[in-house]
Amino acid sequence: MTGAILGLAALGLGACGGPGGTTPEAVPLKDQLLEPGPLGDREYGNRNAPVTIIEYVSLTCPYCRAYHAKVFPRVKRTYVDTGRVRYIIREFAIGQSAGAAAIVTRCAPKSKYLPLIEAYLSRQREWVSQEVRPDALYKIAKTSGMTRAQFDKCLSNQSIIDGLMEVKQRGRKYGVVGTPTFFINGQKLQGEVTFEQMKALIEPQAS
């Protein structure tokens, strides 16, 4: 298990947060950015929505925690739940603990994925450390109905580890160097973002 987690952590370079800002270049959505990784995408909302948002998240990142506590609920309520935005979450683990948590979220049923993402983010103080703390990770994972045996087996699931590594490699190709990073119809927004910044990019395209 430890070796597998270290394998994921080998791609753990990256940074968390900073002031939010946009970059002018747009990635070709149809040809590149929208192509799902080997594990498939976790997505929400209307697949045919005029706007697609892709979020790259590391579960140990405090800026990701702040975004999901303060901004994402408004984005989801205003745009995703109303069919105006298709929202995709992709893992960009930074460090061993984030890698282990990302593996666990991918073992949970699809219906439990987002609640587990939110739980790991909101309860970072309980499990985030330089060393992986399986007991602390499982305390949160069991809220999804996962047994300890399933959890232990999950952490050494090489196909999930390899899939997450590929997702991160692709993210780097698209210019992701830290979290959170968003692509709103291909335009990159990164760092500590506000709802107003998201809205400014969404509204002109969401009608």
Side-chain angles (χ1 to χ4, degrees), residues 42-44 105-118 143-145:
R42 292 289 185 260
E43 61 177 80
Y44 304 89
T105 63
R106 281 294 186 156
C107 288
K110 286 185 178 182
S111 63
K112 301 292 185 179
Y113 175 82
L114 183 56
L116 196 51
I117 288 280
E118 301 281 3
T143 63
S144 70

Side-chain angles (χ1 to χ4, degrees), residues 107-135:
C107 288
K110 286 185 178 182
S111 63
K112 301 292 185 179
Y113 175 82
L114 183 56
L116 196 51
I117 288 280
E118 301 281 3
Y120 276 126
L121 287 170
S122 65
R123 297 169 65 178
Q124 284 177 350
R125 292 181 181 178
E126 298 179 27
W127 64 276
V128 173
S129 65
Q130 290 186 339
E131 300 297 325
V132 177
R133 298 166 56 201
D135 290 345

Side-chain angles (χ1 to χ4, degrees), residues 74-75 79 184 194-204:
R74 291 184 67 186
V75 172
Y79 298 111
I184 301 176
T194 65
F195 177 76
E196 286 69 29
Q197 288 174 302
M198 302 283 284
K199 180 180 179 180
L201 294 180
I202 295 170
E203 282 290 345

Side-chain angles (χ1 to χ4, degrees), residues 108-168:
K110 286 185 178 182
S111 63
K112 301 292 185 179
Y113 175 82
L114 183 56
L116 196 51
I117 288 280
E118 301 281 3
Y120 276 126
L121 287 170
S122 65
R123 297 169 65 178
Q124 284 177 350
R125 292 181 181 178
E126 298 179 27
W127 64 276
V128 173
S129 65
Q130 290 186 339
E131 300 297 325
V132 177
R133 298 166 56 201
D135 290 345
L137 285 167
Y138 176 65
K139 184 177 180 181
I140 297 171
K142 68 181 181 181
T143 63
S144 70
M146 193 178 299
T147 68
R148 185 60 191 245
Q150 291 171 327
F151 171 84
D152 290 338
K153 184 178 180 180
C154 173
L155 284 181
S156 58
N157 187 317
Q158 194 61 46
S159 64
I160 292 179
I161 294 168
D162 291 344
L164 290 173
M165 292 174 75
E166 183 171 333
V167 168
K168 188 167 185 180

